[in-house]
Amino acid sequence: MDRRNLIGLGLIFLFLYIWAYINKPTPEELEAYKRKQDSLARMEERVQEPENDLSKDIIRLDDPTKPAKALDDSLAALAAENRFGTFAPSAKGSSDPILLQNDDLKIAFSPLGGKIISAELLHYKKVIRDSAGVDQKVPLYLLEDEKNKFGFDIPLSDGRILNSEDLYFVPSISDNTLRFTAKTTRGGSIEQIYRLARDGYLIDYQIKFNNLGGDVRISDNKLKLSWINYLDKLERNASYAKNYSTSYYKIAEDDPDHCSCTGDDEQTLLNKRIEWISNTNQFFNSTLLSKTGFSDAVLRTEVLDKNDDDLKLLVNRIGIPIADLDRGQADMQWYIGPNDYNTLAALDTELEYIIPYGRSILGSINRRLV
């Protein structure tokens, strides 16, 4: 290394020493830095300590687990109004099941939607085979699948559409009659009323719109009802039962008919007066009957995989004439029970035709003989 390099390095070190000496912190700055470090250390210790009683009383707006109650209630009310409009009072409630029972049926209803969520047929059992290969008898239910849906659209005058399944209906029971009521902010209400007879498998069912005025605006002259029903495997031989499970329907002044039993199918029934729609298993059925007739329907059946827990999926889109509601209520009935010929024939609705006795003249002969 030559002399010039040594001189250069010496000057660099001298410059760095002078720069460090000039910029070194003063005693006051050192003290301030020390206080800051001590403060940070104390804060870290407090974070690691469990909350004391005082900290529990401090409500932070950015902490969703400890919202201020007044603010929470206000935001909840605003959210309900934005979503449900005039039906905001029915945005929350109890979902505890309500029961009606007679000698033959035990029906469970949910206040959320005001709908049937299961029907136990008290004189019948479902047979299942346990892991040891032993047959066990268990209660037999229809309409019990949690995936099932039953609700009607409620078009608000501002263009939004609610569904009855979104609303909590307040229940009241008197003499085996269950009345569900969903109220509005302006004194109106929607009611769903169920009356279970002392015996048998019929349930009277009504929908009433009360004093809704301009809150609800129904187009197409019909209330749109959606009924989605997953049929359970009620028989051990599911493959055989599948061929006798589908949707049946009865058009006024026509013979009952049905969707395909062996494959996926869809039936579109427009501008027809439909007396009833029946979702049938091999030996049991759930049927919705209208006293004045449904205005139209689209019925879709889907065969499910053999490894699926359910047998078939039945999707029913039904139109209820608005004229029924204008008169005060839409009058219907549920039949939820066995495919017993005498029981069905006594209804005088030709519902007995859902029993597969065969087609054409052979079917008629078989019905008479059996």
Side-chain angles (χ1 to χ4, degrees):
M1 184 178 292
D2 59 22
R3 182 181 177 187
R4 284 181 297 179
N5 289 336
L6 292 173
I7 293 173
L9 287 174
L11 290 173
I12 290 173
F13 283 118
L14 178 62
F15 174 78
L16 290 173
Y17 175 79
I18 295 172
W19 181 85
Y21 179 80
I22 294 173
N23 290 282
K24 71 178 181 180
T26 64
E28 291 79 8
E29 290 175 332
L30 289 172
E31 182 64 25
Y33 177 78
K34 184 176 182 302
R35 289 196 302 269
K36 181 177 180 182
Q37 291 299 110
D38 292 343
S39 177
L40 290 173
R42 288 193 298 271
M43 290 178 64
E44 185 175 352
E45 290 175 359
R46 291 178 61 185
V47 169
Q48 294 175 351
E49 292 175 353
E51 287 184 324
N52 55 34
D53 292 339
L54 181 60
S55 65
K56 292 180 181 178
D57 294 334
I58 298 175
I59 305 293
R60 287 170 37 209
L61 294 180
D62 61 343
D63 185 353
T65 65
K66 301 185 183 69
K69 186 178 187 306
L71 179 61
D72 184 54
D73 291 346
S74 177
L75 291 175
L78 181 61
E81 183 177 352
N82 287 336
R83 180 182 176 189
F84 296 96
T86 188
F87 283 94
S90 301
K92 60 181 181 179
S94 171
S95 57
D96 294 337
I98 309 296
L99 297 178
L100 289 182
Q101 181 174 343
N102 65 13
D103 294 337
D104 302 295
L105 273 178
K106 181 190 291 184
I107 310 291
F109 303 83
S110 173
L112 179 57
K115 62 181 183 178
I116 296 172
I117 54 174
S118 75
E120 181 183 355
L121 278 61
L122 298 177
H123 303 304
Y124 297 88
K125 296 293 182 182
K126 173 182 174 181
V127 179
I128 61 173
R129 182 161 291 174
D130 61 20
S131 57
V134 178
D135 288 345
Q136 301 287 341
K137 291 184 178 181
V138 298
L140 189 148
Y141 294 93
L142 300 178
L143 303 176
E144 88 297 349
D145 199 297
E146 292 181 353
K147 301 186 295 296
N148 287 350
K149 293 184 178 299
F150 185 88
F152 48 88
D153 287 344
I154 307 170
L156 303 183
S157 55
D158 60 8
R160 287 177 294 172
I161 297 179
L162 301 179
N163 191 276
S164 60
E165 289 193 295
D166 298 326
L167 302 179
Y168 286 89
F169 288 74
V170 178
S172 63
I173 299 179
S174 175
D175 193 27
N176 237 26
T177 296
L178 172 60
R179 185 182 300 269
F180 281 118
T181 305
K183 295 183 178 181
T184 70
T185 56
R186 298 168 57 173
S189 68
I190 292 177
E191 290 182 298
Q192 297 186 78
I193 305 167
Y194 299 87
R195 296 183 181 90
L196 180 61
R198 294 302 176 187
D199 55 19
Y201 302 96
L202 277 177
I203 306 107
D204 289 332
Y205 174 51
Q206 297 173 326
I207 300 174
K208 297 180 67 175
F209 281 16
N210 303 314
N211 303 317
L212 293 181
D215 292 333
V216 173
R217 183 174 301 149
I218 299 177
S219 59
D220 301 329
N221 294 318
K222 63 183 177 182
L223 187 68
K224 298 177 182 178
L225 173 67
S226 178
W227 174 20
I228 298 176
N229 189 13
Y230 286 82
L231 296 185
D232 191 15
K233 294 177 179 178
L234 299 177
E235 316 303 327
R236 285 190 310 180
N237 190 340
S239 297
Y240 187 80
K242 183 178 294 185
N243 293 331
Y244 292 94
S245 303
T246 190
S247 287
Y248 279 77
Y249 56 90
K250 171 69 168 65
I251 297 174
E253 301 177 359
D254 204 348
D255 292 333
D257 205 345
H258 60 86
C259 297
S260 171
C261 293
T262 57
D264 297 350
D265 193 14
E266 182 171 304
Q267 296 288 327
T268 301
L269 314 173
L270 300 179
N271 302 317
K272 307 285 187 180
R273 190 167 71 86
I274 304 162
E275 296 180 357
W276 50 258
I277 294 168
S278 181
N279 290 182
T280 67
N281 291 85
Q282 184 178 3
F283 298 115
F284 305 93
N285 76 87
S286 303
T287 300
L288 188 62
L289 307 98
S290 172
K291 293 187 177 181
T292 59
F294 302 116
S295 60
D296 55 64
V298 177
L299 309 179
R300 179 168 63 86
T301 61
E302 179 181 340
V303 180
L304 301 178
D305 185 82
K306 64 179 181 180
N307 296 319
D308 199 285
D309 291 336
D310 301 299
L311 193 67
K312 287 186 178 181
L313 167 61
L314 307 185
V315 179
N316 313 273
R317 313 290 187 188
I318 305 168
I320 299 175
I322 190 63
D324 291 355
L325 295 172
D326 289 341
R327 285 192 295 268
Q329 60 198 31
D331 292 321
M332 293 167 277
Q333 284 183 310
W334 280 102
Y335 175 89
I336 307 173
N339 296 349
D340 178 78
Y341 183 87
N342 290 329
T343 301
L344 299 179
L347 300 178
D348 196 25
T349 61
E350 296 186 278
L351 188 56
E352 66 272 16
Y353 278 77
I354 68 173
I355 302 174
Y357 287 117
R359 302 182 66 87
S360 186
I361 186 64
L362 291 178
S364 298
I365 295 174
N366 289 338
R367 284 186 180 87
R368 298 294 182 269
L369 290 175
V370 173

